[in-house]
């Protein structure tokens, strides 16, 4: 159990030989929402993730960074079992959501995904009206009874996503007609309409311009108070701006996890340092 | 080659292009002449012979004229004629034979001369500086353009031939009677004085029959095709998909005459027996049997078109919906099908156009009696069945009965064209939405 | 409802219902596919079940005395004399000898009905080929009449057209091994006939062959040329747009309309002969051209531009680039499209009815101007015949047609697999 060893390693240890062990602080003592233990993911014969173990803290933003193809998105998709939709993909290991194993055969993905929402890289509003986009989840799960209740929920979700004032006059217009940044906030509003515990964000700003990105980042920071957020990002600045903890992935391995300021100011692992100083990536 | 003393580089084009050039000059005019000659000599000679006939036989109604020409031709080739041989006729036949003989003799001579001329001209004009390749390529290019225009010529041919004959029909039968008449019985008397010689050309019963059968066919094909497509697109494993998709598409490759046979000899008796077992009277040429089998034929149309449009819905829609905690069925019916609806509607329209234009199944399994009914257990007839019935067998080309077939053809052409244009438009709009 | 525990409870409450609905949709989809495939299987099995027996032919063994006095009294061995002899009489005589107990005229007539009228022609052909047989009494297997054939193949379901006496004679022949089934060569070497036991598909096959030959000869070069022009040379303007729209619409025009075109233009305007494979081929060419053009354009599109640029870069003209590089690479795709177009043409019936290829034609056509019919039309004609014996012929002809289509489609698949390239 080299990972566990790595967990109790004293802070700041630099050890280039131990590339498959995680340095930093992967485990937390309290207020944990998600626990991943020894997660391995395979696409057919190819292994994409190797023995990843990490805790995700409650009501904080955890950012996954790393070069392309390092497995951070794959790992993110394990938390709501979106990898089930890929036929060749197999996930081994344990992921606990409030101490329930999400890969338990008795666990249904429907309630799991109601608890763990997701926002994608490219905004993907449904080809329906703005109103219908937000109402989709509540209707699906039977959370509202009656039009007025639904109206209130739509307004609340849009307000929370900071979109209400922009779209309240045109709720009947198609969601695809909004600008990119608005679309992404619509997708966030859609996800929070069913009040999940966790929101997974897969590079939520990579398709947006800087101004839209700033608005979404602000939103993420606000949402942290009510939701646990896990985000994958390509941008180290973004991770530095919005996250409290940062995990660095490299070639399918979790290299280092720690408080964000620590990762960016004083990384323990030389791969992390190489990445954040821009020597590759 | 001698002209550049073996130095190929001084030629403008590669040596063989000079060869092609001469060959083209030799062959093209000759081929053109041959085509002209063959298409024109018959009518020209006939015209000459007719002109040489004595005055007494000159102005003739067209039908008698063609009979006369036939007689002359038969006489000239030594066959049996329909009437007695008058001296004038005999003379005309001799004349005809003489002209034919002349034509046979002249043709090769003219072709030969033209070819020689082509070679001479070709040999004279080729020089090392001659731009032979561009010239050859220009001719090829024109050939290509001509080939591409065949499609237009075909459309034009269809429109003109069908329209022209249909207009002649509407001179005899008013358009309003045709479009709004409730009775269809195209029996035209052979003799003038026969009873009921007029015939009735009301197309409404045919429309009704066509629509009835097409509706039955679509109500079989649309649910089965759509559900198959949904299953293949979302629930099936890739292995199942690679096997089942081509198997279903076999249904589209089976000739319609086979479906017709199956409908008439297997399904119709089954439907009849099933109906009788629950006390219903079913015609042996019921619309139901023809419609059912046509529906089977249309399944792959609907399923592969729907499969295409369902797959064209971006995967992000699937992900978005599934990540909200929707089941597969909910995703399909609340997100994918609404998104793909225009494409699916386009597919159904195309299938409808196939259904009303389908001929062999209804010719073999539906009736010929024009029956204005909505009961699928009775026998009805369709536009295509009537076209076949009117045109198969001996017929006079000028009778309203024959011309009616062209009027029906026109209706069919317009209806399918409108459906296709509409379908293509809907599908294209849909594609643009996702590009 | 915003409390998370309430939401979880609501989701759990609805879950089993939603899962049930999901399973229902899945089952409906599977059911639809099975239904479609079931129809396919049912159709194949019912056609094979009806048709397989047509590949066998019932024959009766009879010692036929080739009496020189009846055939060639003067021993001239002159074919004209041999041809005109009364072979039907010889067969009748042989039948009388085989059943000497039959005396009444009416019964004799019933007896004669057992043997096909075609048997006399077969006997004539045999004697003409080998005059030395005259004088001998060979035991010949003569083709039985269609009623006998049907009864012998399906004794439980038919036989209404034979009386008990005839059945008794046949039983006797069968018991002595003088009534047997043979492989039905006649089915493959005869033209159409009013007598089911003599009817074969050779005429229709040759008609189809000539028709497809004309179609292929015209539509392959025209289709490829049109595709090449539209894909490689055509400027983007109204005219080419118009051509495109036309091609797409033509692909969806009902086939019977092409038949009307053929009747009005080729037969009435140009005066080409009715029922000729030439006209059939012309009509089918117009019908299959859109298919071929669309497939060929797709094949040309799949040739990567880098190859064109490379050829143009070394100084080849556009034509040279086309003929030396692009066409050879696109050829397999074009041929695949052509084969599929030909398979469509081979199965097409309706437009050929319009141009008179439905006539009853006994002679096997020898060229593209002879009156002919084609295989699908033959199927249509036989399917309309009242005789029970034509049913199995129809189904068998369908089997032959489907076999050809399967072969063509396999060829297309093979071609696609073999030359499939990914750039």
């Amino acid at each position: 159990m080299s990972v566990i060893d790595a967990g109790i390693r004293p802070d700041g240890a630099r050890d280039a030989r131990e590339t498959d062990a995680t340095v930093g602080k992967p485990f937390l003592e309290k207020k944990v929402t998600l626990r991943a233990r020894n997660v391995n993911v395979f696409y057919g014969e190819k292994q994409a993730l190797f023995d990843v173990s990490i805790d995700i803290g409650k009501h904080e933003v955890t950012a996954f960074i790393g070069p392309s193809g390092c497995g951070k998105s794959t790992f993110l998709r394990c938390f709501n079992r979106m990898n089930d939709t890929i036929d060749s993909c197999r996930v081994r290991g344990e992921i606990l959501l409030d101490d329930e194993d999400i890969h338990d055969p008795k666990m249904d993905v429907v309630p799991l995904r109601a608890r763990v929402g997701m926002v994608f890289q490219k905004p993907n509003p449904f080809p329906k009206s703005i109103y219908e986009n937000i109402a989709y989840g509540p209707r699906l799960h039977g959370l509202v009874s009656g039009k007025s209740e639904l109206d209130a929920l739509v307004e609340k979700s849009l307000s929370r996503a900071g979109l209400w004032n922009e779209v309240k006059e045109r709720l009947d217009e198609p969601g695809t007609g909004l600008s990119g940044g608005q679309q992404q906030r619509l997708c966030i509003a859609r996800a929070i309409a069913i009040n999940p515990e966790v929101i997974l964000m897969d590079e939520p700003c990579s398709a947006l311009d800087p101004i839209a990105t700033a608005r979404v980042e602000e939103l993420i920071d606000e949402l942290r108070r009510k939701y646990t957020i896990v985000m994958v990002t390509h941008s180290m600045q973004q991770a530095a701006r919005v996250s409290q903890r940062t995990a660095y992935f490299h070639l399918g391995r979790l290299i280092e996890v720690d408080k964000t300021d620590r990762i960016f100011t004083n990384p323990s692992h030389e791969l992390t340092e190489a990445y954040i100083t821009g020597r590759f990536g | 080659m001698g002209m550049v003393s073996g130095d190929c580089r001084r030629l403008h084009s590669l040596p063989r292009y000079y060869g092609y050039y001469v060959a083209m000059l030799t062959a093209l005019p000759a081929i053109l002449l041959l085509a002209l000659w063959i298409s024109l000599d018959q009518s020209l000679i006939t015209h000459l012979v007719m002109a040489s006939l004595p005055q007494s036989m000159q102005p003739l109604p067209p039908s008698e004229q063609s009979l006369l020409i036939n007689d002359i031709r038969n006489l000239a080739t030594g066959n049996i004629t329909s009437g007695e041989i008058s001296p004038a006729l005999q003379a005309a036949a001799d004349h005809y034979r003489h002209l034919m003989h002349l034509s046979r003799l002249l043709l090769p001579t003219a072709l030969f001369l033209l070819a020689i001329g082509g070679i001479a001209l070709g040999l004279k004009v080729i020089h090392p500086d001659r731009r032979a390749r561009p010239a050859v390529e220009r001719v090829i290019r024109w050939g290509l353009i001509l080939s591409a225009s065949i499609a237009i010529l075909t459309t034009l041919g269809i429109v003109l031939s069908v329209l022209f004959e249909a207009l002649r029909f509407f001179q005899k039968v008013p358009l309003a009677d045709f479009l709004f008449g409730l009775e269809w019985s195209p029996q035209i008397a052979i003799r003038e004085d026969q009873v009921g010689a007029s015939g009735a050309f009301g197309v409404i019963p045919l429309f009704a029959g066509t629509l009835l059968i097409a509706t039955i066919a679509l109500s079989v094909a649309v649910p089965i095709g759509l559900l198959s497509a949904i299953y293949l697109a979302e629930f099936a494993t890739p292995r199942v998909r690679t096997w089942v998709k081509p198997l279903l598409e076999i249904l589209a490759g089976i000739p319609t005459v086979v479906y017709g046979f199956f409908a008439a000899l297997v399904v119709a008796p089954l439907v009849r027996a099933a109906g009788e077992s629950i006390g219903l009277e079913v015609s042996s040429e019921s619309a139901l049997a023809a419609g059912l089998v046509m529906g089977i034929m249309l399944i792959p149309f609907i399923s592969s078109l729907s499969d295409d449009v369902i797959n064209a819905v971006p995967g992000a829609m699937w992900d978005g919906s599934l990540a909200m905690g929707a089941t597969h069925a909910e995703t399909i019916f609340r997100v994918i099908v609404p998104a793909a609806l225009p494409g699916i509607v386009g597919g159904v329209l195309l299938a409808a156009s196939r259904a009303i234009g389908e001929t062999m199944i209804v010719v073999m399994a539906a009736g010929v009696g024009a029956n204005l009914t909505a009961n699928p257990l009775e026998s009805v007839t369709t536009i295509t069945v009537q076209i076949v019935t009117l045109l198969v067998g001996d017929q006079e080309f000028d009778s309203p009965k024959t011309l009616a077939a062209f009027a029906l053809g026109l209706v069919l052409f317009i209806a399918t064209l409108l459906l296709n244009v509409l379908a293509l438009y809907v599908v294209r709009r849909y594609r643009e939405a996702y590009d | 409802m915003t409390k998370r525990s309430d939401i979880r409870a609501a989701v759990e409450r609805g879950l089993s219902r939603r899962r049930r609905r999901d399973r229902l949709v899945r089952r409906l989809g599977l059911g639809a596919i099975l239904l479609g495939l079931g129809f396919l299987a049912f159709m194949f099995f019912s056609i094979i079940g009806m048709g397989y027996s047509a590949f066998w032919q019932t024959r009766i063994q009879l010692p036929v005395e080739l009496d020189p006095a009846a055939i060639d009294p003067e021993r001239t061995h002159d074919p004209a004399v041999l041809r005109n002899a009364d072979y039907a009489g010889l067969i009748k005589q042989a039948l009388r000898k085989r059943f000497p107990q039959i005396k009444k005229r009416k019964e004799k007539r019933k007896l004669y009905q057992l043997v096909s009228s075609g048997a006399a022609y077969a006997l004539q052909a045999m004697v003409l080929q080998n005059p030395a047989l005259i004088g001998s009494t060979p035991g010949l297997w003569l083709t039985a009449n269609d009623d006998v054939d049907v009864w012998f193949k399906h004794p439980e379901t038919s036989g209404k057209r034979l009386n008990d006496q005839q059945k008794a004679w046949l039983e006797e022949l069968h018991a002595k091994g003088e009534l047997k089934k043979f492989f039905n060569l006649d089915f493959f070497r005869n033209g159409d006939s009013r007598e089911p036991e003599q009817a074969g598909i050779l005429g229709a096959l040759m008609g189809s062959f000539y028709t497809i030959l004309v179609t292929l000869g015209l539509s392959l070069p025209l289709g490829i040329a049109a595709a090449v022009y539209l894909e490689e040379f055509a400027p983007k303007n109204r005219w080419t747009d118009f051509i495109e729209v036309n091609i797409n619409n033509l692909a969806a025009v009902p086939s019977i309309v092409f038949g009307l075109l053929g009747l009005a233009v080729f037969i009435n305007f140009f005066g080409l002969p009715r029922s000729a494979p030439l006209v059939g081929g012309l009509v089918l060419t117009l019908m299959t051209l859109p298919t071929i053009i669309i497939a060929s354009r797709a094949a040309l599109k799949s040739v990567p531009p880098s190859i064109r640029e490379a050829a143009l870069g070394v100084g080849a003209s556009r034509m040279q680039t086309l003929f030396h590089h692009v066409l050879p690479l696109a050829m397999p795709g074009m041929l695949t499209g052509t084969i599929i177009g030909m398979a469509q043409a081979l199965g097409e019936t309706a437009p050929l009815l319009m141009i008179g290829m439905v006539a009853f034609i006994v002679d096997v056509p020898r060229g593209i101007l002879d009156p002919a019919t084609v295989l699908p039309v033959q199927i249509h004609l036989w399917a309309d015949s009242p005789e029970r014996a034509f049913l199995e012929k129809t189904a068998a002809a369908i089997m032959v047609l489907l076999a050809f289509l399967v072969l063509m489609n396999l060829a297309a698949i093979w071609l696609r697999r073999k030359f499939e390239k990914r750039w």
Side-chain angles (χ1 to χ4, degrees):
Chain A
M1 291 304 272
S2 60
V3 186
I4 305 297
D5 298 342
I8 54 173
R9 198 179 288 270
D11 285 0
R14 283 175 180 248
D15 193 347
R17 289 164 301 158
E18 295 265 13
T19 43
D20 54 348
T22 307
V23 299
K25 283 186 161 172
F27 305 125
L28 302 166
E29 269 111 55
K30 51 181 181 178
K31 293 217 291 182
V32 177
T33 305
L34 284 159
R35 289 177 205 276
R37 291 294 179 270
N38 300 84
V39 174
N40 288 282
V41 178
F42 303 85
Y43 290 112
E45 294 297 301
K46 197 175 154 279
Q47 189 164 5
L49 277 182
F50 300 85
D51 269 333
V52 177
S53 299
I54 191 174
D55 284 347
I56 304 291
K58 201 168 191 157
H59 296 286
E60 58 179 21
V61 179
T62 308
F64 293 172
I65 59 169
S68 313
C70 65
K72 53 192 191 298
S73 285
T74 301
F75 187 49
L76 186 77
R77 291 165 67 95
C78 291
F79 290 125
N80 66 346
R81 285 177 53 186
M82 278 305 276
N83 286 325
D84 288 11
T85 57
I86 301 163
D87 285 311
S88 64
C89 186
R90 287 172 297 130
V91 180
R92 298 280 172 273
E94 201 180 39
I95 295 175
L96 301 174
L97 171 63
D98 287 343
D99 300 320
E100 284 177 75
D101 183 0
I102 68 165
H103 287 107
D104 190 313
K106 271 179 275 175
M107 178 65 118
D108 193 304
V109 292
V110 168
L112 169 69
R113 289 175 185 161
R115 292 169 67 191
V116 183
M118 190 166 194
V119 175
F120 295 84
Q121 184 169 0
K122 235 181 108 193
N124 59 350
F126 300 133
K128 301 165 176 280
S129 70
I130 293 170
Y131 184 93
E132 288 297 322
N133 263 285
I134 307 297
Y136 186 71
R139 281 211 181 118
L140 215 54
H141 299 298
L143 305 186
V144 285
S145 49
K147 173 89 173 126
S148 56
E149 210 177 317
L150 187 58
D151 285 348
L153 184 56
V154 168
E155 180 177 347
K156 191 170 142 198
S157 308
L158 284 169
S159 309
R160 237 185 239 176
L163 199 60
W164 174 251
N165 287 328
E166 292 164 57
V167 299
K168 65 182 173 196
E169 303 298 323
R170 44 176 177 148
L171 290 175
D172 290 335
E173 287 176 27
T176 43
L178 297 172
S179 75
Q182 288 174 323
Q183 285 190 19
Q184 195 62 298
R185 280 184 283 142
L186 180 67
C187 291
I188 293 174
R190 185 176 71 188
I192 60 182
I194 51 174
N195 201 11
E197 291 155 48
V198 183
I199 303 176
L200 309 174
M201 297 190 176
D202 190 356
E203 300 186 32
C205 302
S206 68
L208 306 182
D209 62 65
I211 295 166
T213 302
R215 296 229 34 194
V216 172
E217 284 178 6
E218 270 170 42
L219 177 59
I220 293 172
D221 200 44
E222 277 167 39
L223 291 174
R224 175 165 70 90
R225 276 177 281 152
K226 298 201 64 141
Y227 308 94
T228 302
I229 294 172
V230 188
M231 70 184 287
V232 166
T233 176
H234 249 114
S235 150
M236 280 173 284
Q237 289 84 346
Q238 186 170 60
R241 281 194 300 265
V242 297
S243 74
Q244 282 70 53
R245 289 176 83 225
T246 298
Y248 173 67
F249 285 78
H250 189 87
L251 292 176
R253 288 182 164 83
L254 177 59
I255 303 298
E256 181 170 358
V257 196
D258 217 322
K259 290 215 168 73
T260 298
D261 47 7
R262 183 166 193 101
I263 288 272
F264 283 99
T265 52
N266 188 13
S268 311
H269 201 289
E270 64 183 29
L271 279 172
T272 319
E273 190 184 5
Y275 183 69
I276 60 172
T277 52
R279 267 180 277 156
F280 55 76
Chain B
M1 283 279 252
M3 279 185 262
V4 285
S5 49
D7 185 0
C8 286
R9 275 167 299 173
R10 280 176 53 206
L11 290 170
H12 169 271
S13 309
L14 290 176
R16 54 195 157 99
Y17 281 102
Y18 294 93
Y20 295 155
Y21 189 70
V22 176
M24 242 162 48
L25 276 179
T26 314
L28 275 185
I31 290 171
L32 275 180
L33 179 74
L34 184 67
L36 268 179
W37 197 293
I38 286 177
S39 56
L40 288 184
D41 75 334
Q42 275 278 325
S43 52
L44 197 71
I45 289 175
T46 311
H47 189 75
L48 282 175
V49 169
M50 292 309 284
S52 73
L53 278 177
Q55 282 297 322
S56 62
M57 297 169 81
Q58 266 303 309
L60 278 174
S63 58
E64 281 180 48
Q65 198 171 355
S66 69
L67 204 67
L68 193 65
I69 294 168
N70 256 334
D71 275 356
I72 294 172
R73 263 187 216 151
N74 283 336
L75 206 56
T77 46
N79 284 340
I80 311 139
T81 54
S82 62
E84 279 169 38
I85 306 160
S86 68
L89 207 62
Q90 186 62 54
D94 287 343
H95 191 48
Y96 182 84
R97 195 155 39 196
H98 176 68
L99 285 174
M100 281 304 272
H101 187 67
L102 205 65
S103 156
R104 292 274 143 75
L105 213 66
L106 266 176
L107 178 64
T109 324
L111 287 181
F112 184 71
L113 286 178
L114 210 57
I116 292 285
I119 291 178
L121 183 70
L123 288 177
K124 206 174 146 211
V125 295
I126 55 168
H127 277 291
D129 301 339
R130 186 94 202 156
R131 297 166 61 81
R133 186 178 50 72
V136 172
E137 292 189 354
R138 239 186 344 265
V139 171
I140 295 179
R141 204 187 161 109
W142 273 104
L144 296 181
I145 293 178
L146 222 62
S147 313
S149 308
I150 295 271
I152 295 191
L153 284 180
T154 310
T155 312
L156 205 69
I158 289 177
V159 171
L160 285 187
S161 61
V162 177
L163 193 67
F164 185 64
E165 306 295 341
L167 284 180
R168 283 171 61 195
F169 172 75
F170 292 129
Q171 280 168 5
K172 299 184 184 191
V173 178
L175 183 62
D177 289 3
F178 177 70
L179 285 182
F180 306 112
L182 292 178
E183 203 189 328
W184 176 268
S185 61
Q187 270 61 49
I188 288 290
I190 300 164
R191 286 172 286 114
E192 296 284 330
D193 53 344
Q194 204 168 322
V195 193
S198 61
F201 292 95
V203 86
I204 295 285
L206 308 190
F207 279 158
T210 308
L211 280 181
L212 178 62
I213 290 180
T215 310
I216 297 170
L218 288 177
S219 48
V220 172
V222 171
I224 295 183
L226 200 54
L227 282 170
S228 307
I230 285 171
Y231 186 84
L232 286 179
E234 191 39 35
F235 294 110
T237 60
R239 236 181 109 76
V240 170
R241 210 178 135 82
T242 47
W243 279 101
V244 169
K245 231 175 118 88
L247 273 176
L248 270 184
E249 271 159 20
I250 290 180
L251 283 171
I254 294 176
T256 53
V257 70
V258 178
Y259 283 108
F261 173 79
F262 183 64
L265 285 128
V266 180
V267 178
L270 279 181
V271 168
R272 201 184 152 98
E276 268 161 11
S277 71
I278 53 168
L280 285 172
E281 197 174 316
V282 184
S283 157
S284 60
E285 293 174 330
S286 65
L288 188 60
L292 276 177
V293 173
M294 199 188 280
I296 300 173
M297 183 192 80
L298 293 175
I299 290 173
F301 274 94
I302 305 270
S303 73
S304 50
L305 275 167
S306 309
D307 193 41
D308 286 352
V309 292
I310 287 174
N311 279 322
V313 175
M317 296 294 128
W318 281 105
D319 286 352
S321 173
L322 291 176
M324 294 294 298
T327 63
H328 285 266
E330 285 161 350
T331 305
I332 287 162
F333 287 109
R334 296 185 183 209
V335 177
I336 305 301
V337 170
L341 199 59
I344 293 172
V345 169
V348 173
L349 286 177
L350 280 182
S353 136
R354 289 295 286 217
I356 64 172
E358 171 46 44
T359 309
M360 288 322 290
I361 295 177
V362 281
V363 164
M364 293 170 82
V368 287
N371 217 345
L372 192 54
T373 174
N375 181 356
L377 303 180
E378 279 184 45
S379 150
V380 295
T381 192
T382 70
I383 298 176
T384 49
V385 171
Q386 287 307 315
I387 296 178
V388 171
T389 319
L390 292 174
L391 284 185
V392 168
D394 295 322
Q395 85 285 111
E396 245 184 285
F397 207 69
D398 275 335
S399 80
K401 198 176 149 182
T402 315
L403 294 176
F406 284 90
L408 289 178
L410 182 67
V411 168
L412 189 65
F413 180 68
I414 293 175
T416 51
L417 193 68
L418 286 180
L419 276 173
N420 290 328
V421 169
L422 190 64
L424 289 178
Y425 173 77
V426 170
V427 171
R428 191 174 309 152
R429 282 292 295 271
Y430 163 76
R431 292 251 162 81
E432 277 164 6
Y434 284 109
D435 278 344
Chain C
M1 193 188 293
T2 46
K3 266 179 72 185
R4 284 191 180 129
S5 55
D6 293 351
I7 290 175
R8 283 183 70 172
V11 172
E12 292 294 344
R13 255 202 315 280
L15 195 59
S16 62
R17 181 176 44 86
R18 289 168 65 193
R19 282 288 169 210
R20 257 203 314 278
R21 217 176 273 170
D22 195 45
R23 276 195 298 275
L24 178 69
V25 171
R26 182 189 289 259
R27 287 203 191 112
L28 280 176
L30 193 61
I33 285 178
L34 290 179
L35 206 60
L37 296 183
F39 280 137
L40 186 68
F42 177 46
M43 193 151 83
F44 270 108
F45 282 122
S46 55
I47 285 169
I48 291 173
M50 280 189 269
Y52 77 95
S53 55
F55 296 108
W56 278 269
Q57 183 184 43
T58 309
R59 295 198 197 172
I60 298 171
Q61 191 182 34
L62 271 185
V64 182
E65 191 191 347
L66 300 174
D67 183 6
I71 301 173
D72 189 9
E74 268 124 56
R75 321 257 154 166
T76 53
H77 284 217
D78 175 10
V81 176
L82 296 184
R83 193 170 288 125
N84 288 328
D86 179 17
Y87 294 99
L90 290 178
I91 291 172
K92 285 178 185 168
Q93 193 189 5
L95 278 168
R96 283 197 300 272
K97 267 202 186 141
R98 177 62 188 75
F99 294 96
Q101 72 274 26
I102 298 168
K103 299 277 182 250
K104 281 189 212 145
R105 249 175 113 185
K106 221 171 151 189
E107 289 181 1
K108 279 184 190 165
R109 218 164 33 236
K110 288 277 169 209
L111 179 63
Y112 299 155
Q113 280 171 4
L114 297 183
V115 174
S116 162
S117 59
Y121 296 102
L123 190 59
Q124 179 198 43
M126 198 179 76
V127 170
L128 276 173
Q129 205 189 12
N130 186 5
L133 283 174
I134 298 171
S136 64
T137 309
L140 298 176
W141 284 100
L142 302 172
T143 311
N145 189 19
D146 58 312
D147 296 328
V148 176
D149 189 49
V150 172
W151 172 79
F152 190 53
K153 284 170 180 167
H154 315 281
E156 65 294 341
T157 56
S158 63
K160 272 178 234 149
R161 289 167 64 92
L162 295 176
N163 65 19
D164 290 340
Q165 214 175 9
Q166 284 174 311
K167 283 179 195 166
W169 298 330
L170 290 169
E171 296 285 10
E172 188 191 330
L173 285 170
H174 185 42
K176 294 205 170 137
E178 292 166 25
L179 184 70
K180 265 193 193 163
K181 279 186 273 187
F182 287 79
F183 182 72
N184 190 355
L185 259 182
D186 285 344
F187 183 65
F188 294 100
R189 66 180 176 199
N190 285 3
D192 195 6
S193 169
R194 296 274 185 228
E195 302 297 329
E197 77 275 6
Q198 293 171 45
I201 55 169
L202 185 65
L205 272 182
M206 289 315 285
S208 274
F209 172 75
Y210 287 121
T211 309
I212 293 298
L213 201 68
V214 172
T215 311
L216 183 66
L218 289 171
S219 62
L220 183 65
L222 281 177
I224 290 181
V228 163
Y229 178 72
L230 291 175
E231 202 57 43
E232 304 281 322
F233 295 101
K236 258 279 159 223
N237 59 25
R238 276 214 192 138
W239 180 243
T240 47
D241 275 355
F242 186 55
I243 294 183
E244 281 224 52
V245 171
N246 257 296
I247 289 172
N248 287 333
N249 280 330
L250 275 183
V253 168
S255 59
I256 193 169
V257 174
F258 285 94
L260 289 175
L261 165 83
L263 177 61
V265 173
F266 297 132
I267 293 182
N268 285 321
F269 189 73
F270 285 116
L272 294 174
R274 279 177 81 88
S275 313
L278 174 66
V279 182
L282 283 170
V283 170
L284 293 181
T285 299
L286 299 183
M287 253 191 66
T288 48
L289 261 183
T291 312
I292 297 178
I293 294 176
I294 292 169
S296 300
R297 290 189 67 178
L300 285 170
K301 248 188 214 129
S302 73
V303 177
S306 59
I307 287 178
R308 291 187 185 87
E309 284 154 13
L312 291 170
V314 296
S317 72
R318 283 175 79 182
M319 279 296 169
Q320 286 168 325
T321 309
L322 177 72
F323 283 105
H324 298 169
H325 302 282
V326 179
L327 271 189
L329 288 173
M331 208 33 111
M334 292 176 158
L335 289 182
T336 309
T338 308
I339 293 175
I340 288 170
M342 290 304 113
Q344 268 175 22
L346 183 62
E348 196 52 70
T349 320
L352 302 180
L353 301 182
M354 303 286 92
I355 55 162
M357 291 187 94
V358 271
F360 169 71
I361 293 153
V362 178
D363 295 327
V364 175
R366 289 162 184 281
I368 58 170
L369 290 173
D370 286 356
T373 186
V374 294
L375 203 45
V377 177
Q378 186 73 73
I379 291 167
H380 170 55
L381 285 171
W382 281 350
D384 270 359
S385 305
E387 286 96 336
R388 170 81 159 74
F390 271 121
L391 182 69
E392 61 169 29
K393 299 269 169 189
T394 316
I398 289 177
M399 285 159 72
V400 173
L401 177 63
L402 291 180
F404 274 107
L405 293 179
V406 166
L407 281 181
M408 290 171 87
N409 279 295
L410 285 181
I413 292 170
W414 176 80
L415 208 61
R416 196 178 301 157
R417 291 261 163 88
K418 179 150 195 240
F419 291 99
E420 194 169 51
K421 279 205 189 86
R422 300 204 177 275
W423 281 284

